[in-house]
Amino acid sequence: MDIKNHYKDLILTESQIINNQHRDAVGGLWEEIGKLQFEFLVKNGLKPEHSLLDVGCGALRGGIHFINYLYTKNYYGIDINPFLMDAGIKELEKASLLEKKPYLLVNGDFQFDLFNQKFDFALAQSLFTHLPLNHIHRCLINISKVLKEGGKFYATFFETENKFALDGIIQSNEIVTYLDSDPYHYHFSVFTYLIEGLPLTVQYIGDWKHPRNQKMVCFSK
Ligand SMILES: C[S@@+](CC[C@H](N)C(=O)[O-])C[C@H]1O[C@@H](n2cnc3c(N)ncnc32)[C@H](O)[C@@H]1O
């Protein structure tokens, strides 16, 4: 599959959504990765009264669990792809969760200030894995403006321990990552560089039991 720009250009028809093809479009393992991200944030302090920003929320694989758990109007999802967002709304209808009134925004420029809200928690599950470094930088600059003092932004990434590796790295049975094409790997030190001068600190979390070997990093305000 040519996944360069896959998510931005991904078009799903009504019948594909009815057949749940959006679940494969965000990488499959719908139940497993949905629950994994939810349980991770709860273990790390997410409470129903908190506000959560889900960056690259896709078709709400994790969103369904967060929306169910959080108080009404406390979930904010943003994604570049309107078809995945539509599929997410259908998932919410199926799960009778529309009454929790999540805020959902189609936007590819990380314009989080459009929500007019400050966040206790933010999450980017399998987003940085598809982004070149300058896009991650924009995301972090904008996140630093909307996190509350003490707020946390957890993000997953594919890791390389060798900054200068030019060959693909086998991350799991199915995934090979690259320095300069999607799916991308990064050396942890790039995050330290990207937040220089921003009101953020960064902490390496590493393994969090992701089935495809994505690692976790935490940015705190
Ligand atoms: C692998 S999916 C993960 C979706 C979701 N986080 C999950 O765990 O199911 C990556 C998501 O990132 C979104 N995405 C890619 N570039 C983006 C951007 N610039 N702004 C917002 N979302 C973006 C894609 O549309 C897609 O929904």
Side-chain angles (χ1 to χ4, degrees):
M1 174 175 63
D2 173 15
I3 54 177
K4 190 127 187 97
N5 284 328
H6 169 66
Y7 290 108
K8 180 159 70 64
D9 299 335
L10 177 74
I11 294 171
L12 289 165
T13 62
E14 195 73 15
S15 72
Q16 283 173 316
I17 294 175
I18 288 164
N19 290 325
N20 278 341
Q21 289 186 29
H22 56 283
R23 294 185 173 196
D24 295 331
V26 293
L29 303 181
W30 182 261
E31 289 299 330
E32 183 179 357
I33 294 183
K35 281 198 190 118
L36 182 72
Q37 51 189 297
F38 170 66
E39 286 166 7
F40 177 86
L41 278 200
V42 171
K43 210 163 75 193
N44 283 278
L46 182 72
K47 299 271 187 294
E49 62 269 27
H50 286 143
S51 50
L52 169 66
L53 172 62
D54 193 353
V55 187
C57 61
L60 306 180
R61 179 169 51 176
I64 291 286
H65 300 277
F66 293 121
I67 291 164
N68 184 41
Y69 173 77
L70 293 170
Y71 290 162
T72 300
K73 295 185 174 179
N74 278 10
Y75 176 91
Y76 296 72
I78 185 166
D79 200 281
I80 196 172
N81 186 303
F83 297 97
L84 288 175
M85 198 67 103
D86 278 353
I89 292 168
K90 298 224 163 46
E91 291 282 353
L92 287 180
E93 277 168 3
K94 263 195 281 179
S96 305
L97 282 170
L98 279 175
E99 66 202 31
K100 297 293 283 285
K101 297 192 174 25
Y103 295 94
L104 300 173
L105 177 66
V106 175
N107 181 280
D109 294 326
F110 309 115
Q111 290 176 285
F112 311 128
D113 56 335
L114 293 175
F115 285 124
N116 205 16
Q117 172 72 26
K118 300 281 188 219
F119 299 96
D120 299 289
F121 282 86
L123 173 70
Q125 201 298 122
S126 198
L127 173 71
F128 289 4
T129 51
H130 300 291
L131 294 184
L133 201 63
N134 46 359
H135 291 204
I136 296 177
H137 203 187
R138 175 182 285 274
C139 178
L140 289 171
I141 292 167
N142 284 342
I143 269 287
S144 74
K145 297 176 187 162
V146 297
L147 274 188
K148 290 183 185 172
E149 283 305 318
K152 306 267 185 210
F153 174 38
Y154 289 95
T156 70
F157 70 108
F158 283 119
E159 186 173 24
T160 177
E161 284 171 9
N162 175 1
K163 273 190 211 175
F164 308 111
L166 292 176
D167 294 331
I169 295 179
I170 299 168
Q171 299 284 352
S172 65
N173 285 343
E174 313 138 88
I175 307 280
V176 179
T177 59
Y178 303 94
L179 173 74
D180 49 7
S181 66
D182 188 347
Y184 295 93
H185 54 235
Y186 290 105
H187 190 269
F188 174 70
S189 62
V190 301
F191 300 119
T192 312
Y193 159 70
L194 291 180
I195 62 161
E196 266 175 31
L198 291 175
L200 295 175
T201 57
V202 62
Q203 184 195 356
Y204 179 81
I205 309 282
D207 185 39
W208 64 296
K209 307 271 182 288
H210 190 282
R212 294 185 177 126
N213 198 29
Q214 293 192 26
K215 301 293 170 52
M216 186 68 83
V217 61
C218 177
F219 302 91
S220 307
K221 182 149 175 182

